[in-house]
Amino acid sequence: MANIDFAALDGNARVAAVLYQSIVMKLADTGSLRNAPCFLNVGSVNGTGSDSIQVPVVGLNGTDIMSAPGDGVSVSNTSITSSAATVVVARQALRYDLTDLARVSNSVPGGVDLDGLSNAMVAAFNGRFNQLACALSSGFSTQVGSTGVDLTTDTFYSAIFALQLQSVMGEYDVILHPQQYNDLMSSLRAETGPAQYLIANQEQTNALGASYKGKLFGVNVHVSSYVPTANAGADYRGMMLGNGAIAYALGTPAPIAAAGGVIIPAGSPVAVEWERDAASGLTRVVGSSFLGVVELEDLKGVGVLSDL
Amino acid sequence: MAANFGTADGGNFAAQPASRPQGMATLLNLPSNAAWWYTHHPAHWQCVDGEWLPDLGQMVAIPGLNRVDKNGDTALAEVHLAKKGMTVIPWEVEPGGYCIQYAGANGPVFLSKWEKPKLVAGQTRMSVDHEGYRAFCRRLVADGIIKIPDPDFIGVIIERQERVVSEHQTRAPTHPGSALALPVEQKRLEDMRAARERMYTPVKSTKAKA
């Protein structure tokens, strides 16, 4: 009599593989830059009558200083210095269509099912915010670094000095590509003298997102793979920013009945809705947000260029 | 057999190379972006191999980004850039355009003409035609699309490099890292100065005077 081995059962009483009862997330940049103080949230366009928010930048805090007109001489009239930045909000969205067969055959709760796809929308929104914010780096008038040269502590200091020259107050944030961050770490290994690099602790990561790496020379260091290339792909261009250098505005189609019957109030950055197409046996998971990102004050930012 | 109009042209059927089915198309595994244009700020210059070339930025037409409206209209963004003294460089200055669209896994991907993506061992790698891009930058200046920089702007970049050299000079006697970096940074400074001289020295005409 033949043994009952695996081959005898394979395909009938045994299967080639079974699904692990959990899912492993594919590697992705899940960092969120939005909570860094260099980004100023100027609110929501909901109920404002416009898709844009104009942010006045007015010189009321020492921009104009007094002069000495002389005894009995009338002091001349001074016009106030002002400008404005307009944040134009536009729809950002992501859609997944899940067939009923794919849905009912799901064996991993929270995996590729309606809940899992809905939850993915938050990371998708954060990634989009990062992409838009990082795309602003080449617009700043001040740029430091050289093409084809790795990021060094010297360049990092050049960016700090450039902001200090413009009297940019408060803490600075720098947003670097992972390659730039690696090069900076390499450069730091050769540094001597007083310097301090404070690695991010759990509370800071919770507050500022997984992209926050710590504080170097008093500058908050953030890393994002959305930092764009420059010089036709030869370099990366990150940026160092003062508080409120970049403004962003949001909007929510409110109030709506969203995924799981949840009502999304105005001001929520992301709304996730489920849409049934019974005829096709499909459920659409649609994540929507309204987002606008704009450079608020040119001199509060410095582009940081370095080699790939 | 009676002739009919269908055979009158001798059966010259239109032919075209076969294309892969949609589901088998090779898609670029890079984040989707939007059409973009090169921009240039009068202060953005860089010294590359002993030559001052414009350091170009990008205006990306993503709705919601820096005044680009909900439909991708860049009109307001262009006004803002113009107020800052920036030049938006038209696609047409490069034959065939410099912004190239690829079909990506997550939507269209727009790259420059000088970036060539390739798939190597499952990874998306990019080969860059550095010399082609530099030639494009040179042409922008030669054709007057980008003006030769004001000497002040070049002066600021050179002063920044002078500071770097000065710091390394101070530290070099006691710091091996600075001692190694010093000749490199000094050479870069000399290249910058020499390139500045060449850029602002008027080329003497070789034509005989009438």
Side-chain angles (χ1 to χ4, degrees):
Chain A
M1 288 288 288
N3 293 335
I4 304 172
D5 62 6
F6 188 87
L9 300 172
D10 192 15
N12 301 319
R14 297 291 183 269
V15 291
V18 292
L19 276 179
Y20 179 49
Q21 286 306 296
S22 181
I23 55 167
V24 176
M25 291 295 178
K26 188 173 165 60
L27 191 60
D29 181 351
T30 56
S32 169
L33 299 169
R34 201 158 61 91
N35 292 333
C38 54
F39 298 111
L40 178 68
N41 183 353
V42 295
S44 167
V45 295
N46 281 45
T48 60
S50 175
D51 64 353
S52 305
I53 294 177
Q54 184 166 308
V55 187
V57 181
V58 185
L60 280 177
N61 195 21
T63 303
D64 306 312
I65 62 168
M66 292 181 178
S67 63
D71 190 26
V73 179
S74 172
V75 66
S76 59
N77 183 17
T78 299
S79 177
I80 198 148
T81 308
S82 71
S83 63
T86 307
V87 194
V88 183
V89 166
R91 183 172 178 235
Q92 320 291 334
L94 179 64
R95 169 181 144 187
Y96 293 116
D97 290 6
L98 189 67
T99 67
D100 286 352
L101 186 58
R103 190 177 156 201
V104 299
S105 59
N106 174 51
S107 61
V108 184
V112 188
D113 60 6
L114 296 180
D115 288 340
L117 295 173
S118 301
N119 289 334
M121 296 299 174
V122 176
F125 171 75
N126 286 335
R128 186 60 160 176
F129 179 92
N130 295 353
Q131 186 185 31
L132 264 61
C134 290
L136 295 172
S137 62
S138 68
F140 293 105
S141 298
T142 313
Q143 300 283 323
V144 297
S146 305
T147 180
V149 180
D150 288 346
L151 185 61
T152 62
T153 324
D154 291 329
T155 308
F156 196 84
Y157 266 116
S158 291
I160 296 174
F161 293 160
L163 290 178
Q164 287 177 171
L165 272 175
Q166 300 300 337
S167 305
V168 179
M169 301 295 181
E171 280 191 336
Y172 301 159
D173 292 273
V174 70
I175 300 165
L176 302 174
H177 189 273
Q179 181 63 55
Q180 292 184 301
Y181 181 62
N182 285 350
D183 292 339
L184 181 63
M185 292 293 102
S186 293
S187 174
L188 273 175
R189 295 178 69 187
E191 282 295 309
T192 57
Q196 192 172 32
Y197 179 53
L198 300 171
I199 302 285
N201 59 34
Q202 189 60 51
E203 286 75 23
Q204 289 170 323
T205 306
N206 289 344
L208 294 169
S211 54
Y212 180 66
K213 295 294 178 190
K215 189 176 277 192
L216 177 63
F217 310 133
V219 178
N220 292 315
V221 180
H222 307 263
V223 171
S224 175
S225 60
Y226 292 99
V227 166
T229 58
N231 289 317
D235 304 300
Y236 286 117
R237 197 190 304 268
M239 55 188 169
M240 191 179 287
L241 306 164
N243 289 350
I246 290 174
Y248 71 94
L250 303 166
T252 310
I256 55 166
V262 176
I263 302 297
I264 301 291
S268 300
V270 188
V272 184
E273 296 169 88
W274 295 348
E275 182 184 334
R276 272 299 290 173
D277 180 353
S280 305
L282 272 176
T283 306
R284 297 192 180 94
V285 182
V286 183
S288 298
S289 65
F290 289 88
L291 173 65
V293 180
V294 74
E295 172 195 302
L296 188 55
E297 274 200 88
D298 181 48
L299 295 176
K300 279 189 173 178
V302 177
V304 180
L305 185 78
S306 70
D307 192 27
L308 276 180
Chain B
M1 197 174 96
N4 61 40
F5 290 108
T7 57
D9 64 353
N12 292 327
F13 301 110
Q16 61 182 36
S19 60
R20 284 166 155 253
Q22 189 67 27
M24 291 173 68
T26 307
L27 300 172
L28 194 54
N29 190 22
L30 288 174
S32 170
N33 59 356
W36 51 267
W37 288 260
Y38 277 129
T39 60
H40 183 253
H41 187 281
H44 292 182
W45 290 83
Q46 54 192 349
C47 189
V48 185
D49 294 339
E51 179 182 22
W52 283 106
L53 292 175
D55 175 11
L56 303 178
Q58 286 185 347
M59 176 183 73
V60 189
I62 297 177
L65 172 63
N66 221 11
R67 300 170 175 83
V68 177
D69 85 354
K70 57 189 178 299
N71 300 316
D73 187 346
T74 59
L76 198 57
E78 289 176 49
V79 170
H80 168 69
L81 294 174
K83 271 186 170 178
K84 287 177 71 173
M86 295 176 82
T87 307
V88 178
I89 297 161
W91 286 334
E92 299 76 41
V93 299
E94 179 67 15
Y98 57 71
C99 182
I100 308 293
Q101 180 176 346
Y102 293 86
N106 305 310
V109 178
F110 295 82
L111 298 172
S112 78
K113 179 183 178 178
W114 301 278
E115 292 168 279
K116 291 277 185 290
K118 56 184 177 180
L119 199 64
V120 182
Q123 289 184 22
T124 304
R125 308 291 298 175
M126 203 70 73
S127 61
V128 180
D129 175 10
H130 297 283
E131 193 40 55
Y133 176 69
R134 286 177 196 174
F136 168 68
C137 291
R138 273 184 217 111
R139 276 200 305 279
L140 291 176
V141 181
D143 295 348
I145 294 160
I146 293 176
K147 289 178 185 159
I148 289 177
D150 188 288
D152 283 1
F153 291 132
I154 300 298
V156 168
I157 300 170
I158 289 179
E159 278 172 24
R160 213 174 274 151
Q161 184 62 18
E162 284 171 342
R163 181 190 58 75
V164 171
V165 169
S166 169
E167 283 179 0
H168 283 305
Q169 277 172 335
T170 308
R171 294 190 299 174
T174 56
H175 184 215
S178 279
L180 283 171
L182 181 58
V184 177
E185 298 297 346
Q186 260 178 334
K187 168 78 168 50
R188 193 170 291 138
L189 179 60
E190 285 159 15
D191 283 351
M192 285 179 173
R193 286 173 174 158
R196 179 177 59 180
E197 288 302 312
R198 281 196 296 276
M199 188 162 56
Y200 293 116
T201 304
V203 179
K204 287 178 184 171
S205 172
T206 53
K207 285 182 183 174
K209 286 181 182 174

